[in-house]
Amino acid sequence: MLRRCAPGSPRPRAAVRALPPSAAALRQRLRQCAAQIPEAEAVLDLLEKCPEHQKKGDYPVIVFEGLDATGKTTVTQAVKDTLNGILLRSPPACISQWRTVFDDEPTPIKRAFYAAGNYILASEIAKASTQAPVIIDRYWHSTAAYTIATETSGKVQDLPPAQDEVYQWPEDLLKPDLVLLLTVDPEERVRRLQHRGLQKTKEEAELEANSLFRQRVEESYRRMVNPACQEVDASPSKEEVLTTVLQIIKKHCGF
């Protein structure tokens, strides 16, 4: 059994400290645990191969965010097909097999893993965006929103204030052109989850059982800046949602 690394920073400013602010910070965090967690060494090796300061190509990069069962998989695939684009997901396939290992680690290590996934994904985005429009199923905003909601207890009012640094995009991470936040009514989302019949992650079980946690995640998404999320109601039919999404993309990205 793998030994866990000691938990990181104390509770004050926990949300900020749980989020590595840069690639250098998350590399340092992974190095601290690499001796105990072989998978951390493997993630670090992949991260070290990624060039610094990734630059986007000429094609637009469009991210879809939202809770599970808000339609991200369906919409991203439909947009990819419509725009003849390239579909990517976070965490990227090269590290996704280690999610179960890091999900059981203390928060600072778990978040370092997901943050590393974003930087590794950025390398894929940089290359793909020279070839075609890039559609992404989750990116940095998911990492940040779930960290903030987990490290904050209580109601939405207990979240860090709207202009807090925790909602800022990392300066050294490739930015997308557009971020769309898919939302549905809580009851509809639960109905979709039950219909899917998939095994729940720990965070998904928490979302279902704890309405305050769900509210904190969604509000954290809404407070993200530079870039901010554009909210899309994903409750209507798949066709209607796709039409709305394509209209926003056309307006924002010039298609």
Side-chain angles (χ1 to χ4, degrees), residues 8-233:
S9 306
R11 217 61 180 138
R13 305 294 293 154
V16 173
R17 297 184 183 192
L19 275 172
S22 65
L26 71 90
R27 280 197 296 266
Q28 181 180 5
R29 193 174 292 180
L30 288 170
R31 286 193 193 102
Q32 292 171 349
C33 285
Q36 292 80 28
I37 307 174
E39 291 83 355
E41 183 69 49
V43 173
L44 191 56
D45 287 344
L46 289 169
L47 189 62
E48 295 286 5
K49 295 176 183 177
C50 297
E52 294 185 20
H53 309 296
Q54 303 283 356
K55 292 185 178 181
K56 190 180 75 66
D58 292 334
Y59 288 92
V61 175
I62 304 156
V63 176
F64 286 84
E65 295 283 7
L67 306 181
D68 283 355
T70 52
K72 291 190 307 303
T73 300
T74 301
V75 173
T76 53
Q77 185 62 52
V79 173
K80 177 254 186 187
D81 292 342
T82 303
L83 300 183
N84 195 24
I86 297 171
L87 177 59
L88 301 174
R89 291 184 173 86
S90 182
C94 59
I95 67 168
S96 59
Q97 70 268 29
W98 299 318
R99 289 182 69 172
T100 54
V101 173
F102 286 93
D103 281 348
D104 285 335
E105 291 298 325
T107 296
I109 304 308
K110 177 180 179 179
R111 297 310 173 192
F113 168 74
Y114 284 100
N118 289 315
Y119 283 91
I120 294 169
L121 181 64
S123 183
E124 298 180 10
I125 296 169
K127 180 179 179 180
S129 60
T130 66
Q131 304 168 0
V134 181
I135 315 303
I136 308 173
D137 186 342
R138 289 189 171 175
Y139 195 22
W140 175 262
H141 285 346
S142 280
T143 303
Y146 279 87
T147 301
I148 296 164
T150 300
E151 295 302 307
T152 305
S153 57
K155 301 179 180 179
V156 166
Q157 298 93 302
D158 298 311
L159 289 169
Q163 299 305 314
D164 194 279
E165 63 182 295
V166 76
Y167 303 112
Q168 291 281 343
W169 190 271
E171 291 184 0
D172 62 346
L173 181 63
L174 185 150
K175 289 182 183 179
D177 295 288
L178 178 64
V179 182
L180 298 176
L181 174 63
L182 303 183
T183 61
V184 297
D185 179 85
E187 288 75 18
E188 169 64 13
R189 197 182 69 84
V190 171
R191 186 191 67 77
R192 292 182 183 184
L193 279 171
Q194 292 172 342
H195 179 71
R196 281 161 51 173
L198 299 178
Q199 184 178 1
K200 300 183 183 69
T201 62
K202 291 181 180 179
E203 286 175 335
E204 180 52 47
E206 179 74 3
L207 285 170
E208 190 171 327
N210 187 338
S211 63
L212 290 179
F213 179 63
R214 186 193 71 246
Q215 292 168 21
R216 294 198 303 271
V217 173
E218 289 190 323
E219 181 59 26
S220 295
Y221 272 126
R222 294 186 178 106
R223 294 186 184 187
M224 298 296 168
V225 294
N226 194 32
C229 298
Q230 293 197 34
E231 196 164 339
V232 176
D233 180 9

